[in-house]
């Protein structure tokens, strides 16, 4: 997973969990508290639910609900991605039906609408891509990794403090052109790329 390794676990009551061990330079105490504060106040059926956390001297762990089918990336491209002779990415055969794809697209749209307009603070995800969309056994899409995203005040819809981040191929063109004032439109652009895939 992004920001660190993810492990599967089981609680005493038998429920399955995913434990993310935060790693790297960006995962300091400040960022960890920011993710906890964000995720702790944000609740939506199409967002991955945080069940708990651990902040120890050397351990920073987040405990999430387990999403049995994994990421949308693994469902769209079950054996990975290959390039053809022209360098274009080609997908291997996906197991998702058209009905499942539509339900996932609508679920992600609902999650983004909530983050942008319904949550206590406007949250711009900044990294909408298939790897950050998880799918439950029932085929329900849930957006993950929104906790480290830039939180914005609703009265100030753009931010000159936003650092360029995201994944190439999914990033909005204004970031690539060096425009530092980013709005929710950056997520809408990334969502469009996800829909094309």
């Amino acid at each position: 997973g992004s920001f660190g390794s993810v492990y599967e676990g089981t609680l005493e009551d038998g429920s399955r969990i995913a434990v993310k061990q935060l790693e790297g330079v960006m995962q300091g105490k400040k960022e960890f508290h920011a993710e906890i504060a964000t995720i702790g106040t944000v609740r939506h059926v199409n967002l991955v639910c945080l069940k708990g956390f651990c902040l120890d001297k050397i351990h920073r762990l987040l405990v999430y609900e387990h999403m049995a089918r994994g990421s949308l990336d693994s469902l769209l491209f079950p054996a990975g991605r290959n390039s053809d002779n022209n360098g274009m990415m080609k997908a291997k055969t996906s197991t998702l039906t058209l009905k499942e794809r539509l339900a996932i697209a609508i679920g992600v749209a609902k999650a983004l609408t909530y983050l942008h307009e319904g949550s206590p603070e406007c949250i711009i995800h900044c990294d909408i891509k298939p790897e950050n969309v998880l799918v439950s056994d029932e085929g329900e899409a849930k957006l993950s990794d929104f906790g480290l995203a830039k939180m914005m005040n609703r009265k100030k819809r753009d931010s000159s403090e936003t650092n360029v981040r995201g994944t190439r191929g999914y990033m909005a063109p204004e970031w690539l052109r060096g425009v530092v004032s980013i709005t929710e439109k950056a997520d809408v652009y990334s969502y469009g790329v996800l829909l094309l895939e």
Side-chain angles (χ1 to χ4, degrees):
S2 60
F3 307 115
S5 301
V6 180
Y7 303 93
E8 183 179 341
T10 306
L11 296 177
E12 289 179 3
D13 66 2
S15 59
R16 292 168 61 194
I17 56 170
V19 180
K20 180 183 286 190
Q21 181 177 0
L22 299 179
E23 301 163 351
V25 179
M26 289 186 59
Q27 279 65 50
K29 214 173 200 177
K30 181 180 175 184
E31 288 81 6
F32 185 81
H33 283 292
E35 183 156 357
I36 296 300
T38 301
I39 296 172
T41 60
V42 177
R43 295 275 188 237
H44 189 273
V45 69
N46 295 108
L47 296 174
V48 174
C49 179
L50 179 71
K51 291 184 167 277
F53 65 94
C54 171
L55 176 57
D56 194 13
K57 290 180 182 177
I58 60 169
H59 297 103
R60 286 172 173 74
L61 306 171
L62 299 175
V63 181
Y64 293 102
E65 65 180 311
H66 184 270
M67 300 300 288
R69 290 180 68 186
S71 70
L72 179 58
D73 183 61
S74 66
L75 297 171
L76 288 175
F77 313 107
R81 303 179 193 209
N82 289 336
S83 296
D84 65 12
N85 293 336
N86 298 323
M88 298 295 293
M89 299 306 283
K90 294 187 335 184
K92 304 263 179 155
T93 306
S94 173
T95 58
L96 292 173
T97 66
L98 184 58
K99 184 177 179 180
E100 289 174 313
R101 289 171 190 250
L102 181 60
I104 289 168
I106 291 170
V108 174
K110 287 179 179 179
L112 284 175
T113 301
Y114 175 77
L115 289 175
H116 294 168
E117 300 174 2
S119 66
E121 297 282 340
C122 177
I123 300 171
I124 299 178
H125 189 288
C126 300
D127 202 16
I128 304 298
K129 60 184 178 180
E131 291 88 342
N132 286 337
V133 176
L134 303 178
V135 182
S136 71
D137 272 336
E138 298 78 29
E140 184 175 58
K142 295 198 179 203
L143 195 55
S144 68
D145 281 348
F146 57 89
L148 293 175
K150 174 72 176 171
M151 292 186 65
M152 297 179 60
N153 186 321
R154 283 198 195 291
K155 294 176 185 168
K156 184 181 176 192
R157 288 299 207 173
D158 62 355
S159 172
S160 58
E161 304 170 34
T162 303
N163 295 324
V164 175
R165 63 179 168 259
T167 302
R168 288 208 180 273
Y170 298 94
M171 288 175 24
E174 55 265 32
W175 275 15
L176 299 175
R177 288 193 316 260
V179 176
V180 293
S181 185
I182 299 300
T183 68
E184 298 94 324
K185 292 177 183 180
D187 282 348
V188 175
Y189 177 89
S190 299
Y191 176 70
V193 175
L194 182 130
L195 285 178
L196 288 173
E197 285 195 320

